Amino acid sequence: MAKFIPFLVVGDPDLDTSIKVVEILIEEGADMIELGVPFSDAMADGPVIQSASERAAQSITLENVFQFAETILKKHHGFPFVLFTYYNPIFKMGIEAFAKRAKKAGIDAVLVVDLPPEEAAMYSQAMKMNQVKTVFLVSPTTSKERLKIITQASTGFLYYVSRAGVTGVQSEVSKSLTREVAEVRALTSLPIAVGFGISNGEQARQVSGIADSVVVGSAFVKLISEFRTTQSLDSVRALAKEIRIATQSQ
Amino acid sequence: MEQSRKGWFGEFGGRFAPETLMGPLIELERAYDEAKVDSVFIQELQYLLKNFVGRETPLTFASRLTEHLGGARIYLKREDLTHTGAHKINNAVGQILLARRMKKKRIIAETGAGQHGVATATVAARFGLECVVYMGKVDMERQAPNVQRMKLLGAKVVAVESGTQTLKDAVSEAMRDWVTNVGNSYYLLGSALGPHPYPSMVRDFQKVIGEEARAQILLAEKRLPDELVACVGGGSNSIGLFHPFLSDFLVRMTGVEAGGRSSVPGEHAARFDGGSIGVLQGTQTYILQDASGQIQNTHSISAGLDYAAVGPEHAWLRDQKRAQYVNVRDPEALDAFHLLAKLEGIIPALESSHAIAYAVKRARDMTKDQILLVNLSGRGDKDLNTVLEADEGKKHG
């Protein structure tokens, strides 16, 4: 049995819809939710999240995302939110101000997609001071040498990128994933979440057998973006159910 | 003037890359560190620079422009005379040798004005490697001749339709390709920006401009110039010219950014005027951004200068007050384009026209015994459509 971590880009198509989406995901048993901070230049993301991010970045700021989390946490006290962001909005806010704000908003952990631990000394220190967890990525191209640096910098959990590539749906889970995750596990006692490209129940089932948590991003973002035409979030709920059942089956 | 940490220029630079690229960037750094001290690599590079690129390029005394302005003596470093018509080929040749050394079979590049795309397509053809070039859709329209050239050279040109559809978005798309095809592909980045080791490596490959120019001016004038001028998009031609003069403290250095239509955000690409420090596409530097850290749109009549970030070494040179940065607006660049064509028989690229435009203003304030050395980074044939359209617009006004 693995944890289920869905992802959404906050503010796409708008904040009200994002609130509805989060309510549905919590109802359907999400263990944690990744809140994507919109950024104008989402270079690590594939077309689905990149365009959602670009749309939302027109009006949604990092501060808006904190306020969004605060609104939900009033009702769902203590629910673990993971902020998924690019570094520049943090840098612009100021690293210490960001860490304090994240703490105040009740954010559980932060993942900065373009901030490797080698450049993260000040950030990690500020986050530690404010008791907000720092999640770093591990990928198939990460060397053992660097894996050590990453595990040392990570608190909370490690996020394993299931394939070399940008975010997005893929047709099947990489065959080498079992071995890769086992190699990481040998070097750390931190829980391991696996994401990038997991889009349906079958893939979630496979990954649940290997990882502690399963992250589903682009598949949700794609369904949410269809809300603009369908005015319905039924498909989001259906996918959440499908993934939830799959992650519990293992 | 030393780098404080590897990959950093003071508080600028670094390696802010997604995890999947960290390993490949370290591998690239090691390969480059080995290659740059390997005499076989150095000899092959020098052979190609001489016999394929056509170096050294001349340093031309612009006698009629000098006379017309009545001030400083103006010299032009003629990067427009290289094979493919711009300085970009210097870096492309260097990096393709590195790619081959690293046994990569597929070359990825981004391009703004198309000059780097053409240079990359050229060296890829020369060495029989597959080549994919990402180019913003807006840039493909305004630099159509270069798109045709890349295709003739066997490259695949991919139109980038995200964001502002210009250089910044082409860089992001090239990075996405690299992340996805990291095993067999080499990302041949065209300017002195992006994550370490690119800013240092690209500068090293472009330093030949300044090294030649320094020797040439000493030969022609028996002394160093009073001021160097070069346009700054990402900043590779300018850093290539400036770097060999860094310890010549009496030589002033001026980088010219694109002032676009106005100083209103979104209407220019003057990072040092309207920008602030941030992190974009792998490097910490001056960028054009809003209060919440979103990257702002940019505009310049020249596609090659139309970019939201500046190379980190320039940010450092500016903060050290070793170089100064000014900006020139679209109409001034257009006037300089025409002026150089009429007075010197040289059609400059619109990018280089920005440097000329500053030199025109500056030379008048200098005395006749002073020397202004301008990098003519590329030829302007690619810009004829843009210039003719702008001239039409002015006529109908």
Side-chain angles (χ1 to χ4, degrees), chain B residues 77-388:
Chain B
K77 179 60 176 164
R78 301 292 305 280
E79 293 302 294
D80 61 315
L81 290 178
T82 56
H83 179 40
T84 72
H87 72 288
K88 294 291 186 187
I89 190 80
N90 303 328
N91 168 54
V93 163
Q95 286 200 56
I96 202 84
L97 289 179
L98 192 58
R100 207 183 47 163
R101 208 179 145 96
M102 294 174 75
K103 308 212 169 10
K104 303 289 183 184
K105 300 284 180 231
R106 181 173 174 272
I107 305 298
I108 310 159
E110 84 297 337
T111 197
Q115 288 302 126
H116 175 58
V118 168
T120 305
T122 297
V123 295
R126 169 71 182 70
F127 287 98
L129 299 171
E130 186 189 342
C131 180
V132 181
V133 179
Y134 291 90
M135 188 169 188
K137 199 165 160 254
V138 168
D139 289 343
M140 282 177 76
E141 283 157 18
R142 57 179 166 172
Q143 308 279 223
N146 274 345
V147 176
Q148 293 307 324
R149 289 167 81 193
M150 286 184 265
K151 288 181 178 165
L152 276 171
L153 292 159
K156 183 179 162 199
V157 183
V158 182
V160 179
E161 301 194 16
S162 57
T164 52
Q165 308 187 347
T166 56
L167 179 56
K168 166 175 74 78
D169 311 289
V171 172
S172 285
E173 211 53 42
M175 291 223 180
R176 288 187 188 108
D177 181 319
W178 195 27
V179 167
T180 311
N181 301 291
V182 78
N184 69 344
S185 298
Y186 181 97
Y187 180 20
L188 207 160
L189 184 58
S191 195
L193 43 88
H196 181 64
Y198 286 107
S200 312
M201 177 169 72
V202 174
R203 174 205 64 209
D204 289 351
F205 288 135
Q206 293 293 1
K207 271 194 315 204
V208 64
I209 302 172
E211 285 162 359
E212 287 178 5
R214 196 172 182 283
Q216 288 167 319
I217 197 74
L218 283 174
L219 198 66
E221 293 276 353
K222 310 284 180 287
R223 70 178 190 89
L224 292 171
D226 295 277
E227 186 168 339
L228 305 173
V229 182
C231 64
V232 186
S236 70
N237 89 82
S238 41
I239 204 70
L241 176 67
F242 293 174
H243 202 269
F245 290 88
L246 282 182
S247 320
D248 301 319
F249 292 106
L250 294 176
V251 179
R252 205 172 134 113
M253 298 175 177
T254 304
V256 186
E257 297 185 288
R261 280 186 291 257
S262 79
S263 59
V264 172
E267 299 224 315
H268 64 86
R271 290 72 41 107
F272 286 126
D273 213 18
S276 55
I277 301 174
V279 175
L280 180 65
Q281 294 177 333
T283 193
Q284 184 163 316
T285 185
Y286 281 85
I287 61 179
L288 291 165
Q289 58 182 330
D290 68 15
S292 58
Q294 304 293 351
I295 308 309
Q296 283 170 337
N297 290 349
T298 53
H299 161 80
S300 169
I301 193 165
S302 76
L305 304 184
D306 195 352
Y307 183 66
V310 66
E313 194 164 4
H314 286 290
W316 183 62
L317 290 177
R318 189 238 196 189
D319 274 19
Q320 296 287 306
K321 299 194 167 38
R322 180 62 191 93
Q324 61 156 353
Y325 295 82
V326 298
N327 62 77
V328 155
R329 299 231 167 123
D330 291 349
E332 298 170 287
L334 280 165
D335 288 348
F337 178 98
H338 286 295
L339 188 67
L340 198 71
K342 294 228 170 79
L343 289 181
E344 295 292 341
I346 299 169
I347 298 175
L350 276 174
E351 289 76 16
S352 322
S353 300
H354 284 70
I356 303 290
Y358 168 79
V360 165
K361 287 191 278 188
R362 176 75 184 133
R364 290 193 171 111
D365 296 335
M366 294 166 75
T367 57
K368 287 186 176 178
D369 59 343
Q370 289 186 298
I371 302 168
L372 202 50
L373 196 162
V374 185
N375 197 23
L376 195 69
S377 56
R379 57 189 291 163
D381 308 51
K382 69 185 177 61
D383 295 314
L384 292 186
N385 281 341
T386 306
V387 172
L388 294 178

Side-chain angles (χ1 to χ4, degrees), chain A residues 41 45 88 119 141-142 146, chain B residues 15 19-20 168 176 279:
Chain A
D41 296 81
D45 284 295
N88 198 52
E119 305 291 6
T141 61
T142 303
R146 292 199 61 258
Chain B
R15 184 184 276 150
E19 180 54 32
T20 303
K168 166 175 74 78
R176 288 187 188 108
V279 175

Side-chain angles (χ1 to χ4, degrees), chain B residues 20-39:
Chain B
T20 303
L21 291 183
M22 288 300 287
L25 284 165
I26 291 166
E27 184 196 357
L28 175 63
E29 181 186 359
R30 283 183 190 145
Y32 175 59
D33 283 348
E34 279 169 30
K36 72 181 176 189
V37 292
D38 179 345
S39 58

Side-chain angles (χ1 to χ4, degrees), chain A residues 60-68 70 93 101, chain B residues 292:
Chain A
I60 305 297
T61 66
L62 177 54
E63 174 55 28
N64 294 146
V65 176
F66 283 131
Q67 289 162 5
F68 175 84
E70 280 169 337
M93 180 177 270
R101 186 70 186 88
Chain B
S292 58

